[in-house]
Amino acid sequence: FARLADGRADFLSDRILSGPHPAIRGLDYEYRDGRYVITAGAPTWEGQDIPTCQGFIRTWGLLAFLVECQHDVARAGRYYETWNDDVHIVKAPYPVIPPDATVWGAFDWGFKHNTSFGVYTSIDGDDIKIGEHVQNKRSIRDHVAAMDDLMAQLGIPKSRLREIVAGTDAFDKTKDSSGKNIADQYGEYGYKMTPANTDRVIGWTRIREGLGNPAVGHRPTIYVFDTCPRTIASLKSLTHDPKLQEDVLKFDADDDGNGGDDPADETRYGMMAALRPSGADLVSF
């Protein structure tokens, strides 16, 4: 059908082409409360109205709907096309983290969505994610216990972390009736947080540049330990945002915490923090 539509087909040469017709003309949509909602547009035919198309988006996801029903096939494809498991995943046995290596953390808060905490280091100019904790619907004390376990497994005391960069939600004063924000509460357990650089396009671009392109001789400078499977899966599943190709399409974990872009967002914070000079002044909130 694609060949018929774009003129490559040498068969059915007497065809009269009608279409392809999108399911909704003038489609517009917004991201609200964890899902994409159709806000404007006129259905092409009676049998596939707005509620039906909204159901498709809910069931299939926005990208599949745009490709299958809006015939916007250019939207398909991974965001990080140069990702290669054999290149970017550091497998055991792991390199020893030098005692003088800079180590830092990144944090993306959530409750229904996953809370994601990652640990990073730089070795010989390479930035490496060396550990992760990803879980949803847990108390702060539960997360802290898991974070403590992770640090113990890595053999790194939390006091060695240069900083922990966190997303804006962690500093929202409205999150707790006592007036303490999420960062305040984690700080009481020794995890002091500073605001991350949350610019999405710059952050995603930073990761793309760090992944390099070995196929054309561009050496990677970003790697992930194989003990971070949630991060690996999240980065590999990212796709372009149809409204802004330089950004990625947001997607949430299910009720059990499976999937979602939270580990990727936290990795974005962590890899942006790698660019901060080790002697930079840090501000805590």
Side-chain angles (χ1 to χ4, degrees), residues 169-205:
D169 283 354
F171 303 96
D172 186 345
K173 293 289 185 184
T174 65
K175 295 295 182 183
D176 184 75
S177 59
S178 70
K180 296 178 181 178
N181 58 34
I182 296 298
D184 292 333
Q185 296 174 70
Y186 277 89
E188 293 175 350
Y189 292 95
Y191 291 100
K192 303 292 185 181
M193 298 183 181
T194 60
N197 182 334
T198 59
D199 187 293
R200 292 177 61 83
V201 173
I202 292 176
W204 299 130
T205 301

Side-chain angles (χ1 to χ4, degrees), residues 58-229:
R58 183 171 57 250
T59 303
W60 307 342
L62 176 65
L63 186 65
F65 173 78
L66 293 175
V67 172
E68 297 295 331
C69 292
Q70 295 297 103
H71 311 302
D72 194 354
V73 295
R75 302 301 189 188
R78 293 191 307 170
Y79 189 85
Y80 290 125
E81 296 179 352
T82 62
W83 176 276
N84 185 326
D85 286 356
D86 294 332
V87 172
H88 296 109
I89 298 176
V90 178
K91 298 181 179 180
Y94 312 116
V96 175
I97 307 303
D100 60 345
T102 301
V103 183
W104 68 96
F107 183 87
D108 186 47
W109 178 79
F111 181 73
K112 182 179 178 182
H113 297 178
N114 285 305
T115 285
S116 182
F117 170 68
V119 183
Y120 300 79
T121 191
S122 289
I123 301 176
D124 297 330
D126 294 333
D127 300 315
I128 311 170
K129 186 167 187 177
I130 61 176
E132 68 173 12
H133 160 66
V134 184
Q135 200 166 24
N136 74 335
K137 297 181 181 179
R138 293 292 184 270
S139 69
I140 289 176
R141 287 186 297 176
D142 289 341
H143 286 301
V144 166
M147 291 160 66
D148 286 345
D149 286 344
L150 174 62
M151 299 302 293
Q153 291 168 20
L154 295 171
I156 299 172
K158 69 180 75 171
S159 59
R160 186 180 165 188
L161 295 175
R162 181 189 69 187
E163 61 180 326
I164 302 171
V165 294
T168 53
D169 283 354
F171 303 96
D172 186 345
K173 293 289 185 184
T174 65
K175 295 295 182 183
D176 184 75
S177 59
S178 70
K180 296 178 181 178
N181 58 34
I182 296 298
D184 292 333
Q185 296 174 70
Y186 277 89
E188 293 175 350
Y189 292 95
Y191 291 100
K192 303 292 185 181
M193 298 183 181
T194 60
N197 182 334
T198 59
D199 187 293
R200 292 177 61 83
V201 173
I202 292 176
W204 299 130
T205 301
R206 152 72 176 142
I207 294 176
R208 178 188 291 111
E209 293 299 316
L211 292 177
N213 189 351
V216 296
H218 296 166
R219 190 184 76 82
T221 58
I222 284 179
Y223 300 90
V224 181
F225 273 14
D226 62 1
T227 49
C228 303

Side-chain angles (χ1 to χ4, degrees), residues 28-79:
D28 202 3
Y29 50 87
E30 293 180 359
Y31 189 74
R32 299 177 182 169
D33 301 323
R35 65 180 59 186
Y36 286 92
V37 178
I38 296 172
T39 57
T44 302
W45 65 292
E46 226 172 73
Q48 194 164 272
D49 57 12
I50 296 292
T52 300
C53 290
Q54 186 67 66
F56 291 157
I57 293 174
R58 183 171 57 250
T59 303
W60 307 342
L62 176 65
L63 186 65
F65 173 78
L66 293 175
V67 172
E68 297 295 331
C69 292
Q70 295 297 103
H71 311 302
D72 194 354
V73 295
R75 302 301 189 188
R78 293 191 307 170
Y79 189 85

Side-chain angles (χ1 to χ4, degrees), residues 259-282:
D261 57 8
D262 307 290
D265 280 334
E266 173 258 299
T267 303
R268 173 164 53 88
Y269 305 157
M271 291 303 176
M272 285 298 293
L275 302 177
R276 184 199 293 272
S278 59
D281 292 333
L282 305 180

